[in-house]
Amino acid sequence: QTHESRRFMRKKIQAKIPHMVIYTLGMIIAALGIFLMKNSELGLGPWGVAALELQNLLEPVFGFFTFGMASAIHTYTMLFLVLIIQRKLKTTFVIFSMFLWNFLVDGFDLIVFPTFEVQHVYEGIAVPSLGFFGYVFGTSLIIISGIPGMVLEEFTCAMMKLFKGKSYSTYRIVIS
């Protein structure tokens, strides 16, 4: 490689560092939001409910089965469908994203806050509200970073491509 091409590559990597920082911060905040919503026991979105039900189904069978493990099975199944439809190599980065996501949710659940429990009425209002805000803000940061990170968004786009849809909002509602 020439000196000029190495300098170009170094600049390209440096330009991506802010995106990676925003992405990582978004993953941490969104995972904390999911943890808070899950442990408030007031409900999750459709994606989280599927993972929670899968955990409830498989935990008695295996003895130890975390929400993150269940989410991984659910997510990788959906990702497989996305890869078949989209046929974009870029989408495979979501595999790393979802591994990190599920690891962070389980990390908050099993390591950082293992005895977390909502005990008072005001906590019952504050905890899911903070969780929802954290999830929305975190996923917004992930989207802003430009790094593929969310299977649901990729799945929505894949369905739009497959069925030649025009409205992201409509497809997102139908999928949810």
Side-chain angles (χ1 to χ4, degrees):
Q1 286 186 348
T2 67
H3 175 70
E4 199 61 33
S5 67
R6 280 186 299 222
R7 202 170 82 199
F8 173 75
M9 287 303 290
R10 195 175 320 118
K11 281 185 179 180
K12 195 171 180 181
I13 290 169
Q14 287 172 342
K16 293 200 183 264
I17 289 175
H19 294 276
M20 292 188 313
V21 168
I22 291 169
Y23 166 81
T24 304
L25 187 62
M27 289 295 271
I28 292 168
I29 293 170
L32 180 60
I34 291 291
F35 164 79
L36 290 172
M37 287 191 296
K38 180 178 100 45
N39 288 315
S40 73
E41 298 186 7
L42 285 180
L44 292 164
W47 197 266
V49 168
L52 189 60
E53 290 304 316
L54 187 58
Q55 178 192 11
N56 292 338
L57 180 70
L58 296 176
E59 192 168 23
V61 174
F62 294 107
F64 178 78
F65 204 82
T66 67
F67 179 80
M69 295 163 126
S71 180
I73 291 171
H74 178 250
T75 300
Y76 292 138
T77 302
M78 299 310 276
L79 181 59
F80 180 69
L81 293 172
V82 170
L83 288 171
I84 289 172
I85 295 166
Q86 293 282 50
R87 295 189 187 122
K88 285 197 277 184
L89 193 58
K90 174 182 154 184
T91 307
T92 58
F93 184 78
V94 176
I95 292 170
F96 168 75
S97 298
M98 294 295 62
F99 176 80
L100 177 61
W101 177 279
N102 295 319
F103 174 78
L104 286 169
V105 171
D106 278 350
F108 284 124
D109 206 9
L110 302 171
I111 299 166
V112 180
F113 305 109
T115 60
F116 184 84
E117 228 178 271
V118 175
Q119 297 176 350
H120 304 297
V121 173
Y122 65 88
E123 289 174 350
I125 296 167
V127 169
S129 300
L130 283 172
F132 177 75
F133 176 76
Y135 174 73
V136 170
F137 182 67
T139 54
S140 297
L141 288 175
I142 293 167
I143 292 167
I144 289 169
S145 77
I147 299 172
M150 307 301 291
V151 173
L152 186 55
E153 283 70 19
E154 294 291 328
F155 186 67
T156 304
C157 291
M159 291 294 103
M160 287 177 64
K161 177 182 176 184
L162 183 66
F163 296 110
K164 298 173 181 34
K166 302 281 186 239
S167 171
Y168 178 86
S169 303
T170 302
Y171 276 80
R172 179 65 183 261
I173 290 168
V174 169
I175 289 168
S176 293

